[in-house]
Amino acid sequence: MSQTPTDDELMRRLHRDLRDDLDEEIELEFEDRHLDALAAAEGRPSTDGDAQSRQLYFRELLRLQAELVRLQDWVVATKHKVVILFEGRDAAGKGGVIKRITQRLNPRVCRVAALPAPNDRERTQWYFQRYVSHLPAGGEIVLFDRSWYNRAGVERVMGFCTDDQYEEFFRSAPEFERMLVRSGIQVIKYWFSISDDEQRVRFLARIHDPLKQWKLSPMDLESRRRWEDYTKAKEVMLERTHIPEAPWWIVAADDKKRARLNCIHHLLGQMPYQEVEQPLIALPEREHHEDYTRNPVAPELFVPEVY
């Protein structure tokens, strides 16, 4: 049974969470050459073990993202079809790893499906129907930020489905996934696992960060209260839908950065991708025509240069 952290420990962990957010902004805003320089700094002497850890993280993240680009090229060249499901508790870090996977990839090749709650019409459809339209064609990767497993988790715990619908899901889901695999779609399923204590810290960080409060919905807060119910639902889900054609993989996610690196590293190992030779690209010379004159742009059309 985990002990409640002291106030000092809680503040340290909240500070760590805020620093992780800062690092996320560095990842998203810095140009590649700046990140390369930051990663290269790992070889410089330092007495700050945390700084060294962050430098190692950036270095490995860039290396893995370069491999993801090679994987993308292979998927396109071979017309491979991939579906990756990301499941886990609220604040488990699913969105963070999805962001790192897609950050440097072509959105026409690798896209995210994050479906809202079903509308009245969708509630009358075959349960899997609204997910089918998001499945990949040849040469595409689709990342589901939550998926059809909503029925085994939030719908079960919150009473949004009947017992019959719940049981029918467990009869149908393995067959649905086997059907996808037989059709040539590779199905990869990740569950992001965090501790009770770590979720509490992340929720507190969101409550006190105005830029992240939007991530806390009433459903998220209720999920916190029903921690044990969600645990039971997860255990049943893993037991009844872990199949050879589409097994579950558990990502230990109490450490956000390690979880991202471990998940991406594992994902790369799930496909036999190889380097795809790319044609040399030559920049053509711009054509100049004597009869062309560029028309002036009216000053009022420009966005004011405040910065």
Side-chain angles (χ1 to χ4, degrees):
M1 191 172 188
S2 62
Q3 295 181 341
T4 302
T6 64
D7 290 344
D8 287 345
E9 173 64 17
L10 182 59
M11 289 304 298
R12 282 195 296 270
R13 292 173 66 177
L14 288 172
H15 178 73
R16 184 192 68 191
D17 197 81
L18 289 171
R19 189 177 60 234
D20 286 344
D21 292 339
L22 175 61
D23 285 349
E24 177 176 329
E25 295 305 316
I26 292 174
E27 294 167 33
L28 297 176
E29 299 297 337
F30 272 25
E31 295 181 7
D32 289 3
R33 63 178 178 271
H34 294 143
L35 278 175
D36 288 339
L38 183 62
E42 198 241 340
R44 295 203 299 260
S46 173
T47 58
D48 186 346
D50 182 62
Q52 290 180 330
S53 176
R54 292 166 75 190
Q55 291 161 4
L56 175 62
Y57 166 72
F58 284 123
R59 186 191 70 184
E60 284 301 294
L61 180 64
L62 284 166
R63 184 184 68 81
L64 292 171
Q65 287 180 329
E67 289 300 315
L68 284 171
V69 173
R70 296 187 182 96
L71 172 65
Q72 170 186 257
D73 292 341
W74 176 84
V75 166
V76 172
T78 61
K79 300 299 181 185
H80 195 54
K81 295 176 283 189
V82 189
V83 162
I84 310 169
L85 311 186
F86 294 88
E87 295 287 346
R89 296 181 188 274
D90 296 312
K94 302 178 295 298
V97 74
I98 289 172
K99 190 180 296 181
R100 273 67 181 187
I101 291 171
T102 60
Q103 188 173 351
R104 300 175 190 278
L105 300 185
N106 184 343
R108 295 182 179 87
V109 175
C110 181
R111 67 177 188 274
V112 178
L115 277 61
N119 57 35
D120 291 341
R121 179 176 180 275
E122 289 170 333
R123 290 190 186 96
T124 67
Q125 295 176 341
W126 174 49
Y127 178 70
F128 297 92
Q129 187 170 336
R130 71 191 192 114
Y131 296 99
V132 170
S133 62
H134 296 274
L135 294 175
E140 293 180 352
I141 303 169
V142 176
L143 314 180
F144 277 92
D145 187 352
R146 298 198 181 277
S147 66
W148 45 87
Y149 282 98
N150 276 338
R151 174 139 295 176
V154 64
E155 290 191 20
R156 174 61 171 178
V157 173
M158 301 302 296
F160 295 155
C161 66
T162 66
D163 289 345
D164 288 343
Q165 289 172 327
Y166 180 68
E167 287 301 320
E168 178 56 33
F169 171 81
F170 284 125
R171 286 190 291 270
S172 299
E175 289 306 314
F176 176 65
E177 291 170 10
R178 291 187 184 103
M179 181 175 63
L180 296 182
V181 173
R182 287 196 302 270
S183 74
I185 298 176
Q186 183 176 3
V187 179
I188 304 171
K189 303 186 300 196
Y190 289 113
W191 175 270
F192 279 69
S193 178
I194 59 170
S195 64
D196 181 346
D197 192 41
E198 181 63 21
Q199 188 192 52
R200 174 175 174 268
V201 170
R202 294 184 188 181
F203 274 9
L204 287 173
R206 290 180 178 184
I207 288 172
H208 294 290
D209 185 348
L211 299 180
K212 298 176 74 175
Q213 285 180 0
W214 64 269
K215 292 185 174 184
L216 277 177
S217 69
M219 198 74 67
D220 297 333
L221 297 175
E222 183 63 17
S223 75
R224 177 66 191 159
R225 189 175 71 84
R226 302 195 188 198
W227 172 276
E228 293 181 1
D229 292 335
Y230 273 93
T231 297
K232 295 173 184 176
K234 176 215 39 175
E235 290 169 349
V236 172
M237 180 194 77
L238 295 179
E239 180 183 354
R240 299 185 67 175
T241 59
H242 180 72
I243 59 176
E245 297 87 348
W248 279 103
W249 300 100
I250 311 299
V251 180
D254 271 5
D255 186 312
K256 293 180 182 180
K257 290 185 171 70
R258 290 180 184 273
R260 294 164 191 163
L261 298 180
N262 287 330
C263 183
I264 296 173
H265 181 273
H266 182 271
L267 175 62
L268 290 166
Q270 299 309 297
M271 284 164 271
Y273 72 97
Q274 299 175 347
E275 187 85 35
V276 176
E277 187 174 348
Q278 301 292 339
L280 294 176
I281 300 175
L283 184 65
E285 291 293 331
R286 178 192 178 288
E287 292 184 351
H288 294 268
H289 301 279
E290 293 182 0
D291 59 347
Y292 168 77
T293 302
R294 184 176 180 177
N295 293 323
V297 179
E300 61 268 20
L301 296 182
F302 284 96
V303 171
E305 293 189 1
V306 179
Y307 303 99

